[in-house]
Amino acid sequence: MNIDSLLDSGAAALAHRLQQRDISAETLTRACLERIAQREPKLHAWAVLGHDQAIARAKELDRGPTQGLLHGLPLGVKDIYDTYDLPTAYGSPIYKGHQPANDAAAVAVCREAGAVVIGKTITTEFATFEPGPTRNPHNPAFTPGGSSSGSAAAVGAGMVPLALGTQTAGSLIRPAAYCGIVGYKPSFGMLARAGVKSLCESLDTVGGFGRSVDDVALLVSALSGNRALLNPDSTRAPRVALCRTPMWDHAEPEVHEAMAQAERVLKGAGVKIREIELPSSFGVLTDIHAEIMAFEAARALADERIRHEEQLGPVLQKMLAQGQELPYERYQALMTLAAEARAQLASQFKNVEIILAPSAPGVAPLADSGTGDAVFCRLWTLLGAPCIHLPFHQGPHGLPVGLQVIGPVGADLPTLRAAAWVHERLRG
Amino acid sequence: MNIDSLLDSGAAALAHRLQQRDISAETLTRACLERIAQREPKLHAWAVLGHDQAIARAKELDRGPTQGLLHGLPLGVKDIYDTYDLPTAYGSPIYKGHQPANDAAAVAVCREAGAVVIGKTITTEFATFEPGPTRNPHNPAFTPGGSSSGSAAAVGAGMVPLALGTQTAGSLIRPAAYCGIVGYKPSFGMLARAGVKSLCESLDTVGGFGRSVDDVALLVSALSGNRALLNPDSTRAPRVALCRTPMWDHAEPEVHEAMAQAERVLKGAGVKIREIELPSSFGVLTDIHAEIMAFEAARALADERIRHEEQLGPVLQKMLAQGQELPYERYQALMTLAAEARAQLASQFKNVEIILAPSAPGVAPLADSGTGDAVFCRLWTLLGAPCIHLPFHQGPHGLPVGLQVIGPVGADLPTLRAAAWVHERLRG
């Protein structure tokens, strides 16, 4: 097997071969580092590379017994997760060269499971809006999306089989869509956030990227300790709802096509598809999300706002000022509305296992226009539902398009199973 | 006014005098530092003192306009909150001398409101069980309680008018009870935890200590930005439920007495008191809390567990090992039970504004037996309800006893009002 097909074979397949000692962790790590050397000059996916540490760690793993589910798998870590052996700048000049004392919980657990941390990937400023230098692996004129820009670009370019990201608005699903990979935002509260720079306590969610549903299920199985998530196979067609969401007028033609293609293909595969319309009260949830995000960010980033305001980007400054101005009572009322909507969401799943909905308005926009719009993600993040982006279509400029699968809060296992079944049909 | 009555007059009264420029921040800060110099040798409330910084800051505040609600008020900060200018060791030898890059959100917001950070107060190991050296201000043979040991002892000894703590099991209410001060655990999710060492994401709660309900209301008003919480007066007697809880057989005679005294005094003041029994399903919540705590702590402290196990205390090691062994499905089932109980709690408040219940089994135990038992707090922490400890009684050895007021989740304002009304009657 040549090196390129090795790198493109995906984390789940690689994990199996590593555990069989069919390939060594060192071989795979060196292959990743080589791919990075080739593609990094144009993509800028990495904030820091731990070249020598990674090779030393891979050699150590090759000498020892199988450590866990991620044994020998190279991993990219969004630079919003603390790492004890690599500097962590949270995408902000305030923290240039900052060296945390410890690993974020998710990083520690991945290492314990045998992952080889290759380096830290570029994040937007504190996982908000100000873009880093990262470019889209399909065409460097375009954005990879944000805020998990580097992690998505790195997996999209085959630099690593897996990478950690986070989502507060649309920071996993949108970059997965733009980079043509699978992104998985688990149910809110499923994975520990200790050591991840806090932005919004009621929204921040740990998740990751891979090339298939099996890949991200492997990662989140290792992170959660829930082995049941591994290899989410299903022989039964799930019941699927297509949902255009109240944001449908933001959808570009390529997203219309992706929805039509999904409907056609799944119907052809015997899936019972229904259209659903969300309760009309859900129409305001996207705006509510933005207000809650501003309020909580103004508090979580209080020290940065107070002591380093001149080093914050203008868009973040504006959001924090808006959050500061929001009265506490308004925030409390919005949180009550969000809780009511969460209770209502459950009833949307009475007759279907999953909802299929847009992940982003269209293909990746040009890099100099920002990291794209989270308009199709805020709603589901606010609701805390598990979301999995599935790439399967091509839009303008040969850029990838796909849809996200959404499941009931806490039902990650059936959601992954349904997503794997659907993805197999959609990508043909 | 002599210095002792100044220090004992409480944060709310001091805040008023500071804003009137009737006393200076420097005078008050020096008085606190003097009291600390007198009492610290026996009490060991402080991990680090920022003597010179505090005086410099006080002088700066005296020269400028009123900064905010806490203008010129000396503040103790539990050593589980990051501070950019003082080392933060989280009560663990692993982090001896560790200097964070930034302030925890709560610390930054208090400073912005004009607080003078006097230093970091002793915490048990990662806010769990292994006691620090702190002793009870009423009698150094006894424990001040934990985990917010130093903050409670410092306020109890009049070293500072206010101090920040956290509660994951009973770490605010129990030390408040043992030290004879007011402790306030706000509703879960009300205050930002960014920069507080994470122990259990679904339980950790930011709160604090003062000498009266007005004091803690002032602190939490500044922290939340919710001005409505200030001076929680009420002219109307609240409807009160006495609740012995399913843990009643843990209560010592002095707690029986406190409950009887409260009932007598409040009835005499015209309060309609009813006894309530919690739903029988609540009986298991104390054990469920302990299991959830172990599961989440094993994840949040993953890096410490993996890289520094030999530096963890034996009780913490055991809890983390138990948490590691708990299957993910079990955790998920427990979280579902907790969510159901939260929904049921609301109906307990149909005919009453507050519940009055024990805060601890009795007076503070001897210091060499640990930091006491959180058995009367775990239930309410799991339910996310606001809790306020009110001291008003004396038990054996002249040690303080009191009860906690519990309100509906999110109803912090009416709970504070009712607590202030009740406390005024109880302390006579």
Side-chain angles (χ1 to χ4, degrees), chain A residues 217-248:
Chain A
L218 168 68
L219 176 63
V220 174
S221 177
L223 283 167
S224 64
N226 185 3
R227 289 247 168 185
L229 298 179
L230 281 180
N231 307 318
D233 276 342
S234 175
T235 50
R236 191 177 58 73
R239 289 161 302 159
V240 176
L242 280 188
C243 177
R244 291 188 158 74
T245 82
M247 303 295 133
W248 184 243

Side-chain angles (χ1 to χ4, degrees), chain A residues 84 95 98 100-106 108-109 112 189-195 197-198 201 223-228 295-296 298-308 324 327-329 331-332 410-412, chain B residues 84 95 98 100-106 108-109 112 189-195 197-198 201 223-228 295-296 298-308 324 327-329 331-332 410-412:
Chain A
Y84 78 88
Y95 292 94
H98 168 59
N102 59 351
D103 266 356
V109 167
E112 189 180 30
M190 186 167 153
L191 301 177
R193 300 177 295 185
K197 182 73 177 160
S198 182
E201 282 196 47
L223 283 167
S224 64
N226 185 3
R227 289 247 168 185
F295 184 93
E296 294 189 357
R299 275 136 197 90
L301 297 177
D303 184 54
E304 290 81 3
R305 172 175 60 73
I306 296 164
R307 290 198 302 128
H308 306 287
Q324 278 277 93
Y328 186 83
E329 292 79 356
Y331 169 71
Q332 217 175 9
D412 288 65
Chain B
Y84 78 88
Y95 292 94
H98 167 61
N102 59 350
D103 266 356
V109 167
E112 189 180 29
M190 184 166 153
L191 301 177
R193 299 179 295 184
K197 182 74 177 161
S198 183
E201 281 195 49
L223 283 167
S224 65
N226 185 3
R227 289 248 167 184
F295 183 93
E296 294 188 358
R299 274 137 196 90
L301 297 176
D303 185 53
E304 290 80 4
R305 172 175 61 72
I306 295 164
R307 289 197 304 128
H308 306 288
Q324 278 275 94
Y328 186 84
E329 292 79 356
Y331 169 72
Q332 218 175 8
D412 288 65

Side-chain angles (χ1 to χ4, degrees), chain B residues 51-74:
Chain B
H51 190 283
D52 297 349
Q53 283 141 277
I55 290 174
R57 163 79 164 146
K59 284 182 172 172
E60 189 194 317
L61 287 163
D62 284 334
R63 282 193 301 267
T66 297
Q67 284 259 308
L69 291 176
L70 307 180
H71 185 88
L73 278 178

Side-chain angles (χ1 to χ4, degrees), chain B residues 219-395:
Chain B
L219 177 63
V220 174
S221 176
L223 283 167
S224 65
N226 185 3
R227 289 248 167 184
L229 298 180
L230 281 180
N231 307 316
D233 277 341
S234 175
T235 49
R236 191 177 58 73
R239 289 160 300 158
V240 176
L242 281 189
C243 179
R244 292 188 158 73
T245 82
M247 303 295 133
W248 185 242
D249 55 353
H250 292 265
E252 302 288 341
E254 61 267 29
V255 171
H256 289 243
E257 285 163 31
M259 288 287 268
Q261 183 184 335
E263 187 167 9
R264 195 172 61 242
V265 171
L266 293 178
K267 273 190 178 159
V271 176
K272 230 181 143 164
I273 298 224
R274 64 184 76 207
E275 289 264 350
I276 60 160
E277 250 188 76
L278 297 172
S280 62
S281 61
F282 279 37
V284 294
L285 294 181
T286 300
D287 290 338
I288 285 180
H289 172 281
E291 280 194 76
I292 288 174
M293 184 167 166
F295 183 93
E296 294 188 358
R299 274 137 196 90
L301 297 176
D303 185 53
E304 290 80 4
R305 172 175 61 72
I306 295 164
R307 289 197 304 128
H308 306 288
E309 193 169 22
E310 76 295 344
Q311 290 188 74
L312 300 177
V315 182
L316 181 54
Q317 279 192 31
K318 199 176 148 198
M319 182 176 81
L320 298 185
Q322 285 168 342
Q324 278 275 94
E325 275 163 34
L326 210 66
Y328 186 84
E329 292 79 356
R330 167 87 183 152
Y331 169 72
Q332 218 175 8
L334 295 178
M335 290 296 275
T336 303
L337 287 175
E340 286 164 7
R342 274 175 213 132
Q344 274 185 289
L345 177 66
S347 65
Q348 303 301 310
F349 291 101
K350 247 189 319 210
N351 301 308
V352 298
E353 270 107 25
I354 54 166
I355 290 171
L356 208 52
S359 294
V363 297
L366 286 166
D368 55 15
S369 71
T371 64
D373 193 338
V375 67
F376 281 106
C377 296
R378 290 179 183 269
L379 165 68
W380 309 114
T381 310
L382 184 65
L383 294 171
C387 302
I388 304 158
H389 174 78
L390 306 178
F392 64 89
H393 187 67
Q394 262 200 1

